[in-house]
mmCIF file of all heavy atoms in Angstrom:
data_model
loop_
_atom_site.group_PDB
_atom_site.id
_atom_site.type_symbol
_atom_site.label_atom_id
_atom_site.label_comp_id
_atom_site.label_asym_id
_atom_site.label_seq_id
_atom_site.Cartn_x
_atom_site.Cartn_y
_atom_site.Cartn_z
ATOM 1 N N LEU A 8 -58.491 27.823 64.624
ATOM 2 C CA LEU A 8 -59.238 27.649 65.865
ATOM 3 C C LEU A 8 -60.507 26.836 65.674
ATOM 4 O O LEU A 8 -60.834 25.985 66.491
ATOM 5 C CB LEU A 8 -59.561 29.013 66.480
ATOM 6 C CG LEU A 8 -60.148 28.987 67.879
ATOM 7 C CD1 LEU A 8 -59.201 28.258 68.835
ATOM 8 C CD2 LEU A 8 -60.391 30.388 68.383
ATOM 9 N N TYR A 25 -70.651 8.779 73.634
ATOM 10 C CA TYR A 25 -70.904 8.405 72.241
ATOM 11 C C TYR A 25 -69.764 7.531 71.744
ATOM 12 O O TYR A 25 -68.643 7.596 72.256
ATOM 13 C CB TYR A 25 -71.059 9.658 71.369
ATOM 14 C CG TYR A 25 -72.300 10.426 71.728
ATOM 15 C CD1 TYR A 25 -72.229 11.607 72.450
ATOM 16 C CD2 TYR A 25 -73.566 9.946 71.386
ATOM 17 C CE1 TYR A 25 -73.367 12.305 72.812
ATOM 18 C CE2 TYR A 25 -74.711 10.633 71.744
ATOM 19 C CZ TYR A 25 -74.609 11.810 72.453
ATOM 20 O OH TYR A 25 -75.738 12.489 72.817
ATOM 21 N N ALA A 33 -70.149 13.615 64.291
ATOM 22 C CA ALA A 33 -70.976 14.696 64.830
ATOM 23 C C ALA A 33 -70.209 16.004 64.980
ATOM 24 O O ALA A 33 -70.796 17.086 64.857
ATOM 25 C CB ALA A 33 -71.578 14.282 66.169
ATOM 26 N N PHE A 35 -68.311 17.377 62.989
ATOM 27 C CA PHE A 35 -68.216 18.077 61.708
ATOM 28 C C PHE A 35 -69.543 18.113 60.948
ATOM 29 O O PHE A 35 -69.602 18.647 59.841
ATOM 30 C CB PHE A 35 -67.157 17.395 60.822
ATOM 31 C CG PHE A 35 -65.771 17.470 61.387
ATOM 32 C CD1 PHE A 35 -65.301 16.487 62.254
ATOM 33 C CD2 PHE A 35 -64.924 18.514 61.050
ATOM 34 C CE1 PHE A 35 -64.023 16.552 62.778
ATOM 35 C CE2 PHE A 35 -63.640 18.581 61.568
ATOM 36 C CZ PHE A 35 -63.197 17.602 62.438
ATOM 37 N N GLN A 45 -78.701 13.932 63.767
ATOM 38 C CA GLN A 45 -78.669 13.150 62.531
ATOM 39 C C GLN A 45 -77.324 12.450 62.369
ATOM 40 O O GLN A 45 -77.263 11.273 62.004
ATOM 41 C CB GLN A 45 -78.933 14.053 61.322
ATOM 42 C CG GLN A 45 -80.359 14.536 61.224
ATOM 43 C CD GLN A 45 -80.523 15.612 60.162
ATOM 44 O OE1 GLN A 45 -79.682 16.503 60.007
ATOM 45 N NE2 GLN A 45 -81.627 15.534 59.425
ATOM 46 N N ALA A 74 -65.832 11.682 54.607
ATOM 47 C CA ALA A 74 -65.300 11.671 53.242
ATOM 48 C C ALA A 74 -66.429 11.476 52.237
ATOM 49 O O ALA A 74 -66.450 12.112 51.175
ATOM 50 C CB ALA A 74 -64.239 10.577 53.086
ATOM 51 N N LEU A 76 -69.566 12.342 52.711
ATOM 52 C CA LEU A 76 -70.336 13.582 52.688
ATOM 53 C C LEU A 76 -69.606 14.661 51.892
ATOM 54 O O LEU A 76 -70.230 15.491 51.229
ATOM 55 C CB LEU A 76 -70.609 14.064 54.116
ATOM 56 C CG LEU A 76 -71.519 13.173 54.960
ATOM 57 C CD1 LEU A 76 -71.578 13.689 56.400
ATOM 58 C CD2 LEU A 76 -72.913 13.084 54.355
ATOM 59 N N ALA A 83 -74.963 6.712 40.408
ATOM 60 C CA ALA A 83 -74.489 5.329 40.322
ATOM 61 C C ALA A 83 -73.500 5.109 39.180
ATOM 62 O O ALA A 83 -72.687 4.190 39.236
ATOM 63 C CB ALA A 83 -75.673 4.378 40.160
ATOM 64 N N ARG A 86 -68.240 6.911 37.759
ATOM 65 C CA ARG A 86 -67.060 6.126 38.113
ATOM 66 C C ARG A 86 -65.929 7.015 38.615
ATOM 67 O O ARG A 86 -65.227 6.649 39.555
ATOM 68 C CB ARG A 86 -66.589 5.304 36.920
ATOM 69 C CG ARG A 86 -67.598 4.201 36.576
ATOM 70 C CD ARG A 86 -67.154 3.335 35.417
ATOM 71 N NE ARG A 86 -66.002 2.552 35.816
ATOM 72 C CZ ARG A 86 -64.927 2.375 35.043
ATOM 73 N NH1 ARG A 86 -64.854 2.899 33.846
ATOM 74 N NH2 ARG A 86 -63.917 1.656 35.480
ATOM 75 N N ASN A 92 -63.551 9.567 45.557
ATOM 76 C CA ASN A 92 -63.915 9.310 46.956
ATOM 77 C C ASN A 92 -63.071 8.173 47.524
ATOM 78 O O ASN A 92 -62.547 8.287 48.633
ATOM 79 C CB ASN A 92 -65.407 8.994 47.073
ATOM 80 C CG ASN A 92 -65.783 8.613 48.485
ATOM 81 O OD1 ASN A 92 -66.023 7.443 48.766
ATOM 82 N ND2 ASN A 92 -65.818 9.581 49.380
ATOM 83 N N ASP A 101 -54.494 5.523 55.167
ATOM 84 C CA ASP A 101 -53.032 5.416 55.241
ATOM 85 C C ASP A 101 -52.464 6.313 56.333
ATOM 86 O O ASP A 101 -51.595 5.903 57.096
ATOM 87 C CB ASP A 101 -52.386 5.780 53.897
ATOM 88 C CG ASP A 101 -52.562 4.707 52.848
ATOM 89 O OD1 ASP A 101 -52.942 3.558 53.197
ATOM 90 O OD2 ASP A 101 -52.334 5.009 51.658
ATOM 91 N N GLU A 102 -52.978 7.532 56.419
ATOM 92 C CA GLU A 102 -52.479 8.450 57.441
ATOM 93 C C GLU A 102 -52.856 7.953 58.837
ATOM 94 O O GLU A 102 -52.039 7.978 59.763
ATOM 95 C CB GLU A 102 -53.025 9.860 57.215
ATOM 96 C CG GLU A 102 -52.347 10.864 58.099
ATOM 97 C CD GLU A 102 -52.580 12.304 57.682
ATOM 98 O OE1 GLU A 102 -53.010 12.564 56.546
ATOM 99 O OE2 GLU A 102 -52.321 13.172 58.532
ATOM 100 N N LEU A 110 -55.446 0.035 61.510
ATOM 101 C CA LEU A 110 -56.781 0.560 61.241
ATOM 102 C C LEU A 110 -57.828 -0.350 61.885
ATOM 103 O O LEU A 110 -59.012 -0.064 61.859
ATOM 104 C CB LEU A 110 -56.975 0.595 59.716
ATOM 105 C CG LEU A 110 -58.085 1.393 59.104
ATOM 106 C CD1 LEU A 110 -57.929 2.877 59.412
ATOM 107 C CD2 LEU A 110 -58.096 1.194 57.603
ATOM 108 N N ALA A 142 -60.115 7.443 72.939
ATOM 109 C CA ALA A 142 -60.157 8.913 72.906
ATOM 110 C C ALA A 142 -59.035 9.441 72.021
ATOM 111 O O ALA A 142 -59.223 10.407 71.267
ATOM 112 C CB ALA A 142 -60.069 9.493 74.313
ATOM 113 N N CYS A 150 -58.247 15.142 63.887
ATOM 114 C CA CYS A 150 -57.107 15.955 63.433
ATOM 115 C C CYS A 150 -56.802 15.699 61.960
ATOM 116 O O CYS A 150 -56.564 16.649 61.191
ATOM 117 C CB CYS A 150 -55.862 15.661 64.265
ATOM 118 S SG CYS A 150 -55.848 16.449 65.876
ATOM 119 N N LYS A 156 -59.387 19.143 55.514
ATOM 120 C CA LYS A 156 -60.290 20.256 55.214
ATOM 121 C C LYS A 156 -59.517 21.570 55.080
ATOM 122 O O LYS A 156 -59.802 22.374 54.195
ATOM 123 C CB LYS A 156 -61.369 20.389 56.285
ATOM 124 C CG LYS A 156 -62.399 19.291 56.260
ATOM 125 C CD LYS A 156 -63.158 19.212 54.953
ATOM 126 C CE LYS A 156 -64.058 20.412 54.755
ATOM 127 N NZ LYS A 156 -64.769 20.397 53.467
ATOM 128 N N LYS A 165 -56.453 29.209 46.159
ATOM 129 C CA LYS A 165 -55.465 29.396 45.104
ATOM 130 C C LYS A 165 -56.108 29.429 43.723
ATOM 131 O O LYS A 165 -55.579 30.022 42.800
ATOM 132 C CB LYS A 165 -54.407 28.291 45.142
ATOM 133 C CG LYS A 165 -53.448 28.423 46.298
ATOM 134 C CD LYS A 165 -52.433 27.300 46.273
ATOM 135 C CE LYS A 165 -51.499 27.387 47.458
ATOM 136 N NZ LYS A 165 -50.541 26.276 47.467
#
Side-chain angles (χ1 to χ4, degrees):
L8 189 57
Y25 293 105
F35 296 89
Q45 289 170 320
L76 294 174
R86 292 181 68 223
N92 175 254
D101 286 346
E102 190 165 344
L110 196 62
C150 282
K156 289 300 292 178
K165 287 180 182 178

